[in-house]
Every structure is written in C-alpha cells, then in structure tokens.
C-alpha cells in the first residue's frame, strides 16, 4: 500500500506534520506562559544559570582564599552567609560552586540522554532481536536500586567529579531509552514513514530527520525531571566524598564539610543545601509544567 | 390528564462556569412527569439532555456546574432545596439512573452482585445475606443467565449487554418511582438494544414506575415513549404526546429531526440532516436559538425569544413563533413590506 | 496466580545474571592490575602472582565470569581486602539493619503519602490541597542528606528530643526513617492525588453517588481502591530509590548498615566488598519488585484478559 503513495503526497504528509508541530509549539508556549508554577520554575533556573555566568564578577571574595582568623563567623554584613572552617566566604564559594554543581547535572543528563536516546531509537526502530537485547540491558540497569549503579561505577573508576558525571549519566540512560523506544515504536507505525522509505530514504535519515523530532517532547519533559534527580545524585555522591574533593566549592562537598560543624556553625550546612533544594525545586516546577503543556492527555 | 403527578420540573437552569465563560447547558427547562408514564427527551448531542437528567439527582460536578435556578418537585418536595441526607434517600431509592456507558458505569473491581446489594442494604436496611439474595433475584429478573455465578463476577467478565442488565437491576433494586435512563442503549449492538428496550418495557409494567428516557435516537422514542420532550440548546422546544409528535411535528427543529430519521422500508442512502450546528452554550443568540438553522426564520425570530406555549390543545407545548398569533401578524406585515 | 509467579520467576533469571555480569565487569573496568589491587598495597610481586593464580585472573574473562557466578550462587562473595573475612559474613551483619531502616521508611512513604494524597484529592484546588501539594513538591526537591542534617539539628541539637546518630534504640530509627521516607511519601502523595482525581471523574463514581451512597463510602470503597492500583507500582519503584538512599542516610546518621558499608568500601578500595554489597542490594530490589508485581496482579484481576 505504501508503494502507491506518490512523492507529492509524501511531501504533503511530511509538511502537514511539520505544520502541526509548529501549531503544537505555539500552543505549548501559551500553556507554559500561563502556567504560573512552570514560569516560577523557569525563573529560578534562569537565576541559577545567570549565577554561573556572573560568579567571578559578583563574588565578594576569592572562594579558595583561606584566612583562619576569620573562620566560622556567622552570617554578617561582611559575609552574608558566614565563613567556613577555613575562613573562606561561603557566599563566594556558593557562587563559584554553582558552576560545578549545575554543570555536573547538565553534563550527566546530556551524557545519559545521548546514549539513552540512541539506544531507544535503535531498539524502537529496528525491533526484533536488537530490541530484545537492548531491552534486557535496560532491565538490568534498572534492577540496581537508586544510585547504587552510580556507586558501583565510581568504585571502578575511582572518585572525582568527572567520574561522578559519568556514573550519574549512566544511571539516566535507561530512563531516556525506555521513553524514546516506546515513542519510536509508535511513530514508526505512521504511514508517512513507510512512504519516505519507499522513496529511498535510508534508516539514518528516517531515524534522525523524521522520527527523532517526533519523540522530542517526552525527551524534554524527562530531561527536565532528570536534571533535578541528577543534581541531587551528584551532590549526594560529593557529599559522600566520592565526587568533588575538599577545597572544591561544589555544594555537596561544602555540605559534607559543614556536617562536622553542625553544632557550632549550622549555617555552613544550611546554605549549600538550600541552594540545591531551590534549584531542584525549580526543575521540578518547570518539569511539571512542561509535562502538562506537552502531554494533552493530562490537560483538563 | 387526571393522572397523578410524580415529578415536576420548573424553570430548571444548570450553568457551568469555566475559563471560557458561562455555559448555559440547561437554560429554563419545564416538564411534568405522571405516574407510570414514559417521557422521552430527545435532541442532538450537546443540547443539554444529560445535564438535565443529572440535575434531577443533583449529580452535576460542582464546580464547574451549578443549578442556578428552578425547582425539581418530587411528590411536591423540592430536590434542589434538599439537604445532603435527604437527597441521598432519594438517590437510588425514589429516583434511580441508568447511564449510557455500561462499560465504565460499573466499578471495575467490585463484584456486580455486591454493587447491587450495597444499594439494597443502604436503602432497605437489609442484612448482608438477604440483600445478596435479593441482588441475585434481581439479576435473574433482568434476564442474566446463571445469576448466582454472575453476581460474584467483576464487570470485566460480563459483556456490554449483560452489564447494562446489571445496571438496570441496580437501578430497580429499590423499586424507584422514577427511572432515568440516559441513552441506555446507545453503546450497544442493535439486537442487544432491542432486548434491553423490551426488558425495560416489561419491568415498567411489573413495577409501575415512571421513566425518563433520554436519547438522540427518535426511532427508539417511537417504540417506548408516551410523551416526548424535544430539547434544543438547553431548552425544551416541543412537548407532546408521542403519537401526535410523529404524525404532525410542530416545531421546525422536530420536523428537521424527523426528516433525518432513516426510513426502514425504503433503503435510503442519504439522510437529510439539519444544516448547521447547535449554538454554543456559552453564547446563545438573543432570539430563537434555532433561528440560524430554521428554514422558516423571520425577523422577529432573531429579535425576540419565543416562549414554550400551549397551543390549541392543552397537552401540546411548542416554542416557536409560527404557532402564535404574532406570526400571522408579522407575515402580513412582511408581505406588505416585500413587493 | 501460581503460574504467573512461576513465569515472573523465570523472567527475573536473566535479570539476575545481568546484574552479576555488571557487578563482575566493574572489576574488569578498574584501571590497573586487578591482582595487584586484590593483593593489597605494597604486596610483593610473588604475592601478586600467587593471587593471580589462586583467583584464576590469568584465565579468559568468560571463564572468570562463570566461576564468579558459580561462587555467588554458592554464597561465596569473595573476601574483604581489608580484614580478609568473607564478604557475605559482613553483609549478613549489615543487611538486617538496612532492611529495618528500609521497612520503617517505606512505611512512612506509604502511610504519609497515601494520607496526603487522599486529603488533597478529596477537595481538589482547595487551600488544603494546594498546601499539601506545595509541601509534597518541597519533599521531592530536598536532598535527603540535607534534610537529615536539618532534622538532626532541630530535634537532636536544638530540642534534644532524639539521639544524634547511631542505631541503639527505637528512638534512633525515627529521624533516619523520616529522612529516607518523606521523599517517597511526596511522590506517592502526588501519584495518589492524580490517580484519585482521575478515578473520581470516572462514570462508576457517578453511579455510586446516584445510588445514594454516603460520600465517605464513595471515596473509600469505590474510589480509593481503584486509585491505589497504579500507586502500588510507584511504591515498588520508590523502594528502589529508598534502598539506594540508605547509602546517604546511613552516612548522615552513622548507621552501620549495608549502604554505609558500600561507601566505606569504596573509600578504602575494598572492591569485593563493594561488589557484594551492590549485588545483594540489587537482588533484594529484584525480589521486592517481584512481590509488587504479584500484589498488583492480585488487586487488579483485569490483566487476566491480556
Ligand atoms: N463539565 C462541564 N463543563 C463545562 N460545560 C459542560 C460540562 N458538561 C457539559 N457541559 C456543557 O453542557 C452542554 C450539554 O451537555 P449534555 O447535557 O451532555 O448534552 P447531551 O444533550 O448530548 O446529553 C454541552 O454542550 C457542554 O458544553
Ligand atoms: S421561532 Fe422562528 S426561527 Fe424559531 S423555530 Fe420558530 S420559525 Fe424557526
Ligand atoms: Mg448525553
């Protein structure tokens, strides 16, 4: 039946899909801007990204500058968030640390998304035994509870921020792969994909030009939600001393050193944790809004 | 005409307040239901039939819906003003309902017998055992084969027709005075439809209840109803004896509906349909709500809203200027104006 | 039902093999000579060679994996590099503590989550609903290790109601279980709410009301039981995150459970210990998932049809 479809018809079909994509984008934008929670999330994320950019300009002190006579001073006009056990300005450290904590989150999600999407597209598109193998692999990855797979990977690669990025990234592969696999299988069934194939498009073109754009919206929703979890996991691993190492102003690591001064200087643990929480809250708000905007089934 | 009145609805208005504005889904409905009578409510989809029937038991989802005006008198007691407690004693007991979707109207994880028995326990204060036995008897009465076994099953184990029988058994469990059936056969196969209709007629004879039968299918109405109320855009536009209505429809909308009825004898290929669509309940026209689709519309139809009036025969009510004295006057005037 | 359980058991066999394979490969991924690592720092060349011979590290990888799996199934998870004691002994000492913590945490997750979700769903968009959902959103956003420290600061340092750390009495359980449980509770609450709202909008709830049932009958007998079906799956998944989370929470509260054992083992590069710990935790999770599947199946007989 596909062979009867003419080129013109195919182009029309493809175009029609593109048009609906554009319409969808417009309705998506209007839903997002109307959703107050999503807007709040976007603003929070925006502020943090800005913080990453301007950290060196606005930071009042050098984040690594040790001055033992100033150690453990509570928040004051001079040090808004106080100083740590080495007399370093906590605010400056937090500003610089944003680059590490947020950067690790983004990098690991990109890592996980890249491999996850590829696996999902391949499994969903080719099906059969390829799908079986990939699906089993994903099952195995999901059989590790929570961050234990990441821990296992770090145990092999050794501690460090880069290894944490990889470990947390691997941990998001199955989630992306599952979603993409399912959507790919749905899109693949659409008639115009068949038509394009009969016109001689190769698998690569079909997968990346025609299927990938159609599975983008669940990826984006998942990406936003994953960023929240990735930032939490990476900070958690640094908190355990497996990621960023001591002088580093990574928030999880700061929290970890703050723990030893919980009695005498609770603000040392308070501020890094607060920064993580607000950022994760931002991603969760934004992700919730995205999901409502992109998933018409959930709309009231 | 001397028959006992069971239910009287006066100027019922049920509106929905949403972000798009106010939807006047039911906008001034009046009717009277007598004992033992079957009243059909017909009209295209979206005319407010379901909302009318849900309003009778105050089952409108609030918010966004609300009964904003009117009275629903059951044996002269106003349901609209009842307290929750009192209302619950009416629901499933004096008035019960059957819904369109037998697939989704039964709780998927509770055995059907229990779904019937709980109503009996509630309203008739029977203990578990006898209530269950009565549920089984009811299932037998509605013609469910091996009712003992079926009663213990969950809805997914029954076919659509069987589920609708369960719904009927449930509705009749407490021998209600009024049974409201909202498109009870629409979701079923034609043969099953006929069986269910037959069953309802039989049971009505046995129990003597009144039925409000809602449907968009005039063919079904002609089979089961004594009286017919035709609804359009939240209002009743014609209310008459079923025989007369089918013989000489008065309202142009009823005429349109009848001419779109498939004729069983001639194998008609194309049905005539009324052109255009039901106006949005958010924004009704000022004048007659049917004017945009009416072949007889005149100037006055767009300027003024017609009332539901009795014609020469007191049992016939129509909402159309054509059947008022005004119409003649206007026609003459227009003839004067037009060369 | 028995057939179903048998089927699921067969299905998890490849998963279990997969898990052992991944854990085994971790060893292979370690940069450097595994024999040297296993022999410990500063071991002589001879000792290293001895290890290589004893552990069969000079054999092909596939063969090594086979012997690893067969050891694992015989309960031999290798010996700790530090104290040379069997890994399994240490795990059997630690696992009960972690399971106890996990049990109370999942209890908090379920009870708190369901209660909050129902409270929200019964009056959607009310002030009560909105505040519960805001708290739930905070619950999924707070890092457990930070929440643990906050609770510790508040209840142990400031108010001095509860012990700071350790695992000696029932009072010790409260803060860690709460820390570990609230994140899941927030997720369960959100899921319960949306599931309840979905169910309350269903036709059969209207039917229940049309029968004249009291509202709490409608909610608890007709709505809740249906709404719980998808929540079961979420609770099962939540148990996984929770098990992973013990790593952090046990570290915060200095509890000598499996999680802390794994972290300590990573710090000291005691690889057999890490492998054993991760493997056992994963197996626990796999079996909990099986249990959840069976439960799901038991309450939702409709899957029989497919
Ligand atoms: N929950 C709701 N919110 C807003 N409008 C509604 C709602 N339910 C029904 N309506 C409006 O009421 C009108 C009548 O609906 P209904 O009574 O179901 O029609 P029908 O005659 O097909 O049974 C619909 O056109 C719709 O606009
Ligand atoms: S009032 Fe006028 S427009 Fe309305 S139905 Fe009668 S003739 Fe038609
Ligand atoms: Mg309807």
């Amino acid at each position: 039946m596909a062979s009867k479809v003419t080129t013109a018809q195919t182009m029309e079909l493809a175009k029609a899909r593109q048009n609906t994509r554009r319409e969808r984008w417009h309705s998506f934008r209007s839903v997002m801007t109307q959703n107050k929670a999503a807007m709040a999330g976007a603003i929070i994320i925006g502020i943090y990204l800005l913080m990453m950019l301007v950290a060196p300009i606005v930071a009042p002190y050098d984040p690594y500058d040790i001055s033992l006579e100033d150690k453990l001073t509570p928040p004051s006009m001079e040090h808004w968030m106080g100083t740590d056990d080495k007399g370093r300005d906590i605010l400056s450290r937090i500003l610089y640390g944003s680059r590490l904590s947020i950067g690790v989150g983004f990098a690991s999600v990109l890592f996980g998304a890249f491999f996850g999407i590829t696996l999902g597209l391949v499994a969903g598109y080719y099906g059969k035994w390829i799908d079986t193998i990939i699906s089993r692999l994903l099952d195995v990855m999901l059989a590790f509870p929570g961050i234990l797979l990441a821990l296992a990977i770090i145990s092999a690669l050794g501690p460090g921020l880069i290894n944490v990025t990889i470990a947390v990234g691997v941990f998001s592969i199955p989630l992306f792969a599952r979603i993409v696999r399912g959507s790919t299988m749905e899109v693949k069934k659409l008639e115009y994909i068949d038509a394009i194939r009969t016109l001689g498009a190769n698998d690569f073109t079909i997968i990346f030009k025609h299927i990938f754009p159609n599975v983008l919206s669940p990826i984006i929703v998942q990406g936003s939600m994953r960023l929240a979890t990735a930032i939490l996991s990476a900070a958690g691993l640094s908190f355990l001393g497996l990621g960023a190492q001591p002088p580093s102003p990574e928030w999880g690591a700061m929290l970890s050193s703050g723990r030893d001064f919980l009695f005498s200087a609770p603000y040392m643990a308070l501020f890094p944790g607060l920064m993580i929480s607000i950022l994760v809250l931002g991603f969760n708000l934004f992700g919730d809004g995205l999901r409502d905007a992109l998933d018409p089934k959930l709309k009231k | 005409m001397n028959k006992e009145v069971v239910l009287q609805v006066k100027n019922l208005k049920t509106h929905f307040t949403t972000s798009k504005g106010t939807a006047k889904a039911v906008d001034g409905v009046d009717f009277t239901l007598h004992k033992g009578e079957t009243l059909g409510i017909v009209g295209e989809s979206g005319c407010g039939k379901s909302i009318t029937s849900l309003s009778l038991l105050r089952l409108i989802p609030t918010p966004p819906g609300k009964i904003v005006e009117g009275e629903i008198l059951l044996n002269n007691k106003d349901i609209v003003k009842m307290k929750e407690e009192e209302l619950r004693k009416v629901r499933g007991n004096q008035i019960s309902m059957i819904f369109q979707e037998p697939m989704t109207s039964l709780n998927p994880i509770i055995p059907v017998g229990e779904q019937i028995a709980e109503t009996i326990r509630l309203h008739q204060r029977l203990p578990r055992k006898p209530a269950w036995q009565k549920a089984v008897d009811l299932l037998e009465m509605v013609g469910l084969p091996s009712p003992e076994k079926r009663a213990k099953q969950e809805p997914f184990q029954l076919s659509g027709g069987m589920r609708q029988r369960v719904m009927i058994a449930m509705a009749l469990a407490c021998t209600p005075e009024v049974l409201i059936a909202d498109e009870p056969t629409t979701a079923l196969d034609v043969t099953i439809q006929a069986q269910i209709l037959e069953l309802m007629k039989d049971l009505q004879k046995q129990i003597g209840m009144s039925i409000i039968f809602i449907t968009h299918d005039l063919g079904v109405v002609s089979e089961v109803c004594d009286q017919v109320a035709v609804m359009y855009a939240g209002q009743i536009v014609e209310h008459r004896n079923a025989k007369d209505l089918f013989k000489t429809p008065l309202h142009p909308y009823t005429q349109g509906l009848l001419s779109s009825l498939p004729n069983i004898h001639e194998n008609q290929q194309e049905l005539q349909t009324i052109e255009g669509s039901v106006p949005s309940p958010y924004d009704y026209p000022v004048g007659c709500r049917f004017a945009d689709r009416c072949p007889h519309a005149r100037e006055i139809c767009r300027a003024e809203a017609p009332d539901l009036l009795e014609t020469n025969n007191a049992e016939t009510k129509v909402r159309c200027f054509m059947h008022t004295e005004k119409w003649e006057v206007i026609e003459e005037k227009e003839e004067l104006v037009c060369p | 039902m028995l057939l179903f359980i048998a089927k699921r058991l067969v299905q998890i066999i490849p998963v279990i093999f997969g898990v052992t394979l991944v854990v085994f490969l971790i060893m292979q991924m370690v940069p450097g000579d595994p024999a040297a690592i296993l022999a410990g720092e500063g071991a002589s060349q001879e000792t290293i060679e001895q290890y290589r011979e004893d552990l069969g590290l000079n054999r092909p990888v596939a063969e090594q994996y086979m012997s690893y799996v067969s050891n694992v199934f015989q309960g031999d998870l290798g010996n700790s590099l530090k104290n040379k004691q069997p890994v399994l002994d240490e795990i059997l000492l630690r696992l009960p503590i972690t399971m106890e913590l996990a049990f109370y945490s999942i209890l908090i997750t379920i009870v708190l989550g369901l209660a909050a979700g129902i409270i929200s769903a019964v009056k959607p968009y009310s002030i009560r609903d909105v505040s519960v959902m805001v708290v739930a959103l905070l619950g999924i956003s707070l890092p457990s290790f930070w929440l643990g420290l906050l609770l510790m600061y508040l209840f142990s340092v400031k108010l001095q109601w509860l012990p700071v750390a350790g695992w000696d009495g029932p009072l010790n359980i409260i803060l860690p279980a709460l820390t570990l449980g609230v994140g899941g509770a927030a997720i369960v609450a959100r899921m319960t709410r949306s599931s309840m709202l979905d169910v309350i909008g269903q036709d059969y709830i209207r039917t229940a009301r049309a029968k004249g049932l009291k509202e709490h009958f409608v909610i608890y007998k007709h709505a809740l039981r249906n709404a719980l079906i998808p929540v079961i799956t979420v609770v099962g998944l939540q148990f996984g995150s929770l098990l992973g989370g013990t790593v952090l929470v046990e570290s915060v509260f200095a509890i000598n459970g499996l999680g802390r054992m794994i972290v300590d083992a990573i710090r000291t590069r005691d690889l057999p210990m890490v492998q054993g710990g991760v493997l056992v935790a994963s197996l626990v999770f796999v079996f909990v998932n099986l249990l959840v599947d069976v439960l799901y199946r038991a309450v939702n007989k409709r899957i029989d049809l497919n």
Side-chain angles (χ1 to χ4, degrees), chain B residues 104-105 107 114-115 118 123, chain C residues 203 207 210-211 221-222 226:
Chain B
T104 54
S105 294
N107 193 316
E114 165 61 19
Q115 295 190 48
E118 73 176 338
H123 292 301
Chain C
D203 291 349
T207 307
K211 288 196 285 195
K221 180 170 177 185
H222 286 263
N226 280 287

Side-chain angles (χ1 to χ4, degrees), chain A residues 5-25:
Chain A
V5 182
T6 66
T7 319
Q9 276 172 321
T10 309
M11 295 323 288
E12 237 164 67
L13 273 166
K15 225 199 233 149
R17 283 200 70 85
Q18 243 155 30
N19 280 343
T20 60
R21 219 177 287 145
R22 190 163 307 135
E23 277 161 30
R24 280 208 304 252
W25 165 243

Side-chain angles (χ1 to χ4, degrees), chain C residues 131-207:
Chain C
S131 21
V132 169
M133 282 304 118
V134 167
V135 172
L137 196 64
L138 289 179
I140 58 170
S141 302
L142 298 190
S144 63
F145 44 96
W146 187 58
L147 178 64
L149 290 178
L150 287 185
L151 291 176
M152 195 193 274
Y153 181 72
L154 184 64
F155 290 104
S156 309
V157 179
K158 279 280 149 193
L159 299 171
Q160 305 208 335
W161 289 351
L162 295 166
V164 174
W167 196 253
D168 330 295
L171 285 182
N172 280 100
I173 301 176
I174 299 175
L175 288 185
L178 206 61
T179 305
L180 200 51
V182 289
I187 290 173
V188 169
R190 282 159 58 109
M191 185 67 206
T192 306
R193 176 183 183 270
S194 76
S195 179
M196 275 292 271
L197 286 186
D198 184 40
V199 168
I200 286 174
Q202 297 289 318
D203 291 349
Y204 57 83
I205 295 302
R206 191 179 55 190
T207 307

Side-chain angles (χ1 to χ4, degrees), chain C:
Chain C
M1 196 59 176
L2 279 177
L3 189 77
F4 172 76
I5 296 173
K7 246 196 207 154
R8 291 291 288 118
L9 274 172
V10 171
Q11 271 171 13
I12 62 173
I13 289 173
V15 173
I16 290 176
F17 272 98
V19 170
T20 57
L21 182 62
V22 170
V23 170
F24 169 78
L25 286 178
I26 285 164
M27 203 60 183
Q28 304 294 312
M29 273 160 54
V30 177
D33 181 359
I37 295 168
L38 289 177
E41 273 164 49
S44 69
Q45 197 57 38
E46 267 160 51
T47 331
I48 294 175
E49 288 309 320
Q50 187 63 39
Y51 259 91
R52 200 186 310 283
E53 198 61 33
D54 290 352
L55 296 170
L57 295 176
N58 42 9
R59 285 180 295 160
V61 176
E63 213 173 293
Q64 287 183 41
Y65 173 63
M66 292 315 286
S67 78
Y68 173 70
V69 170
S70 97
N71 285 342
V72 166
F73 281 103
Q74 287 162 32
D76 177 7
L77 297 175
N79 292 334
S80 159
L81 297 185
K82 290 298 144 200
N83 55 15
K84 312 291 176 203
Q85 295 302 306
V87 167
L88 187 67
D89 291 358
E90 184 69 22
I91 289 178
L92 290 180
L93 216 64
R94 306 273 198 138
L95 187 63
I97 298 176
T98 297
M99 290 314 286
E100 198 185 350
L101 174 59
F103 173 77
Y104 286 110
S105 306
I106 201 79
L107 209 65
I108 288 174
T109 290
I110 295 172
V111 173
L112 210 63
L114 285 184
I118 295 167
I119 284 175
S120 266
V122 169
K123 260 196 158 185
Y125 309 108
S126 64
I127 292 176
R128 198 172 69 181
D129 170 36
V130 172
S131 21
V132 169
M133 282 304 118
V134 167
V135 172
L137 196 64
L138 289 179
I140 58 170
S141 302
L142 298 190
S144 63
F145 44 96
W146 187 58
L147 178 64
L149 290 178
L150 287 185
L151 291 176
M152 195 193 274
Y153 181 72
L154 184 64
F155 290 104
S156 309
V157 179
K158 279 280 149 193
L159 299 171
Q160 305 208 335
W161 289 351
L162 295 166
V164 174
W167 196 253
D168 330 295
L171 285 182
N172 280 100
I173 301 176
I174 299 175
L175 288 185
L178 206 61
T179 305
L180 200 51
V182 289
I187 290 173
V188 169
R190 282 159 58 109
M191 185 67 206
T192 306
R193 176 183 183 270
S194 76
S195 179
M196 275 292 271
L197 286 186
D198 184 40
V199 168
I200 286 174
Q202 297 289 318
D203 291 349
Y204 57 83
I205 295 302
R206 191 179 55 190
T207 307
R209 291 202 173 115
K211 288 196 285 195
L213 294 184
K214 289 211 178 82
E215 192 59 19
H216 70 258
F217 258 104
V218 175
I219 297 290
Y220 295 101
K221 180 170 177 185
H222 286 263
L224 185 59
R225 279 163 64 178
N226 280 287
L228 285 186
I229 294 170
V231 175
I232 292 173
T233 312
V234 172
V235 170
L237 289 175
Q238 221 36 58
F239 187 79
S241 326
L242 198 145
L243 217 48
T246 57
V247 170
L248 289 159
V249 173
E250 286 177 3
S251 293
V252 170
F253 290 97
I255 298 166
N256 284 319
L258 196 64
R260 190 152 181 239
M261 183 199 91
I262 296 173
V263 176
D264 288 344
I266 295 176
R267 286 215 191 94
T268 57
R269 317 265 309 138
D270 191 344
L271 284 174
M273 206 71 143
V274 178
Q275 283 181 307
V278 171
L279 184 66
V280 168
S282 304
L283 292 184
V284 169
F285 183 41
V286 168
F287 280 100
V288 167
N289 266 335
L290 176 74
L291 218 72
V292 169
D293 274 3
V294 172
L295 189 68
Y296 184 86
R297 165 89 167 195
V299 295
N300 189 8
K301 299 191 198 111
R302 275 169 297 174
I303 352 180
D304 270 337
L305 290 176
N306 317 324

Side-chain angles (χ1 to χ4, degrees), chain B residues 195-244:
Chain B
Q195 288 170 14
I196 297 285
L197 290 179
E198 202 55 43
L199 174 69
M200 287 183 64
K201 274 195 279 185
D202 273 1
L203 294 172
Q204 184 180 25
K205 259 182 231 144
Q206 284 179 39
I207 300 174
M209 67 208 162
S210 315
I211 298 181
I212 295 178
F213 197 104
I214 292 166
T215 179
H216 63 263
D217 184 349
L218 278 167
V220 172
V221 172
S222 67
E223 275 180 55
V224 292
C225 298
D226 309 317
Q227 293 283 317
V228 183
V230 180
M231 252 190 112
Y232 188 77
Q235 297 175 328
I236 288 175
V237 294
E238 181 165 358
H239 185 155
R240 292 171 76 195
N241 175 297
K243 263 192 211 117
D244 296 344

Side-chain angles (χ1 to χ4, degrees), chain B residues 16 18 25 44-51 64 281-282:
Chain B
F16 289 87
T18 68
E44 287 164 288
S45 188
C47 283
K49 306 183 296 292
S50 295
I51 301 300
Y282 289 94

